[in-house]
Amino acid sequence: MTDIPAVRIDKYLWAVRIFKSRSQASDACRRGRILVDGIPARPSRTLHGNEILTVRKPPVNYTYKVVSLIENRVAAKLAVTHFDDLTPENEKIKLIQFDFNKEPN
């Protein structure tokens, strides 16, 4: 763990590059697409570490475990060290199938 005792969930999701912007992370929270240990989270909800996050980005439901907390955005190579990706393979397959079913522009 880091020295940070708690961090807002919208800030964390942005910092570890799950969302491109903090406003997108906040919007996902408001829409009920972010769950912390199975409970819908508001953007101001604080994370303390070792929680399980479920991020619904249709058509896939991603699952992550918070390993350590950060507030500032870091490089992609460093970001992945702050969470464990617990997303089942069948969810990742949905994303591949979704891409193949798209109509070309």
Side-chain angles (χ1 to χ4, degrees), residues 34-68:
I34 308 298
L35 306 175
V36 178
D37 294 330
I39 300 169
R42 298 180 72 173
S44 61
R45 168 125 166 24
T46 55
L47 293 175
H48 300 283
N50 292 323
E51 287 120 332
I52 302 294
L53 304 178
T54 303
V55 179
R56 286 186 265 166
K57 289 183 173 181
V60 181
N61 293 330
Y62 296 94
T63 306
Y64 304 104
K65 180 178 181 186
V66 177
V67 174
S68 60

Side-chain angles (χ1 to χ4, degrees), residues 12 15-17 70 74-83:
Y12 180 81
V16 296
R17 297 175 174 268
I70 58 171
V74 294
K77 287 184 179 181
L78 294 175
V80 296
T81 63
H82 295 283
F83 64 88

